[in-house]
Amino acid sequence: MVNAHPFQINVPQSVLDDLKERLADTRWPDEIKGSDWDYGTNLDYLKVLTNYWLNTFDWRKQEAMLNQFTQYKANVDGLAIHFIYGKGKGPNPLPLVLTHGWPDSFFRMYKIIPMLTDPEWFGKDPADSFDVIVPTFPGFGFSDKPSKPGFNLGRVAELWHKLMTDTLGYQHYVAAGGDGGAAVSELLGQKYPDSVLGIHLTDVAFQASLNADPKTFTEAEKKYSDRMQQVGMQEGAYAMLQGTKPQSLAYGLNDSPVGLAAWIIEKFRTWSDCDGDLESVYTKDELLTNIMIYWITESIGSSIRGYYEETTQSSYKPGGRVNVPVGMAVFPKDNPPPREFAERGLNIQRWSEMPHGGHFAALEEPEALADEFRAFFRTLRK
């Protein structure tokens, strides 16, 4: 392994003490009585979560759990990139780079990693094992923050390719992800087809949308386009703000742990298959562990800045295409497109419409997603 060294999470106690003081001193806003989540994060729920965070949540326990994964930091193009490296236990593990998105983190993958590295433990064929590499986006968590403008998704894909080939020494590998991780996986397949055997996505990222011509839409595509326009009007304000004025938002989120939690958990509730009940899908510990990764590293500002970089300097060009084999698992609460829309930019070889799940599939439905990875990538192992 080149330019990499072992890493373990060890948050200074002073950071945790400061957090407790801030939680205890929260200045709460008012709320329209009976408004539930209509105006955004519900006040009563956030107070319950904050009380748990202050009085019950044990970061050291979560830290120890995360440190059970083998982790490294590697110098890639001058940036220290944090990654989990799970070695496969089957006869011929296939290298798989798994990429998270926003507002999650490498923690999105914590349930699925052992299912992929050691399928026999879960009653599956050991021949389907993977070497699983889960890097942390630059500007997120324990990876370095880019200090110059222009660090868009294409630059992330370049770093991942160098991590896989130069640092880890793989000649060929596969990629998968959702949200921003779907975009990076798309770009890996598009830019490095000699190395990337195939990719698996849970979201259609950008290329298909960029190639879409409304004049040629099928009825299913028209319905999808209308639905996405409506979703954009109702739910897209966060992306507009993060894509235009991320620094203005960063001050409040970086200073207030409750403000940070409110910004993140509202997305988890809206985008997950939970019927409005967050804790039917996630535990409080899971929600707070993901939030803590942003808080302890002070990375919320640099994470949302990525929206601005991609908005002002897109990594995609009209007419581009991902020609390596693509598998897609679309989840019902994630506004799935029709297959013909995805095929406008992707070489779809496997299309699975999943019965349950939403945007954070690896956290919500890890067993089902692991089965999809095994089935699709099995065809590419030769």
Side-chain angles (χ1 to χ4, degrees), residues 81-84 97-110 133-143 153 156 160 175-185 202-203 268 290 293-294 299 303 307 359-363:
I81 300 300
H82 164 259
F83 64 100
I84 288 175
V97 57
L98 276 180
T99 309
H100 65 85
W102 186 92
D104 55 290
S105 58
F106 71 92
F107 182 66
R108 176 195 278 235
M109 310 300 180
Y110 91 98
I133 297 88
V134 183
T136 292
F137 252 94
F140 286 64
F142 301 102
S143 285
L153 293 167
V156 179
W160 274 204
D179 192 84
V184 170
S185 299
T202 55
D203 304 285
F268 271 77
N290 181 65
I293 290 169
Y294 285 91
S299 59
S303 75
Y307 280 72
H359 191 67
F360 305 99
L363 266 179

Side-chain angles (χ1 to χ4, degrees), residues 309-326:
E309 305 295 5
E310 190 63 34
T311 298
T312 55
Q313 188 176 325
S314 175
S315 305
Y316 292 83
K317 296 179 181 178
R321 184 167 180 81
V322 179
N323 290 313
V324 301
V326 179

Side-chain angles (χ1 to χ4, degrees), residues 9 59 62-69 71 106-107 289:
I9 303 167
W59 166 252
Q62 302 306 310
E63 186 178 70
M65 181 272 291
L66 293 173
N67 282 333
Q68 290 176 2
F69 293 99
Q71 299 169 71
F106 71 92
F107 182 66
T289 297

Side-chain angles (χ1 to χ4, degrees), residues 341-363:
F341 184 86
E343 287 177 335
R344 290 178 178 270
L346 306 171
N347 176 21
I348 303 292
Q349 297 296 307
R350 180 181 175 88
W351 181 269
S352 301
E353 297 184 5
M354 310 301 286
H356 309 288
H359 191 67
F360 305 99
L363 266 179

Side-chain angles (χ1 to χ4, degrees), residues 59-175:
W59 166 252
R60 295 302 184 196
K61 179 180 178 181
Q62 302 306 310
E63 186 178 70
M65 181 272 291
L66 293 173
N67 282 333
Q68 290 176 2
F69 293 99
T70 302
Q71 299 169 71
Y72 292 88
K73 277 194 175 184
N75 187 312
V76 186
D77 276 359
L79 288 176
I81 300 300
H82 164 259
F83 64 100
I84 288 175
Y85 192 15
K87 296 287 288 182
K89 296 184 178 180
N92 190 25
L94 180 65
L96 166 64
V97 57
L98 276 180
T99 309
H100 65 85
W102 186 92
D104 55 290
S105 58
F106 71 92
F107 182 66
R108 176 195 278 235
M109 310 300 180
Y110 91 98
K111 292 178 181 176
I112 202 171
I113 292 170
M115 298 177 186
L116 298 174
T117 57
D118 192 6
E120 188 172 22
W121 179 262
F122 296 89
K124 308 293 182 178
D125 189 343
D128 286 329
S129 72
F130 297 85
D131 284 349
V132 179
I133 297 88
V134 183
T136 292
F137 252 94
F140 286 64
F142 301 102
S143 285
D144 277 357
K145 302 174 176 68
S147 58
K148 296 179 181 179
F151 210 97
N152 60 11
L153 293 167
R155 286 286 290 116
V156 179
E158 290 173 16
L159 290 186
W160 274 204
H161 181 65
K162 290 180 180 180
L163 174 68
M164 295 298 288
T165 57
D166 297 346
T167 303
L168 300 178
Y170 293 114
Q171 291 184 335
H172 299 97
Y173 61 94
V174 295

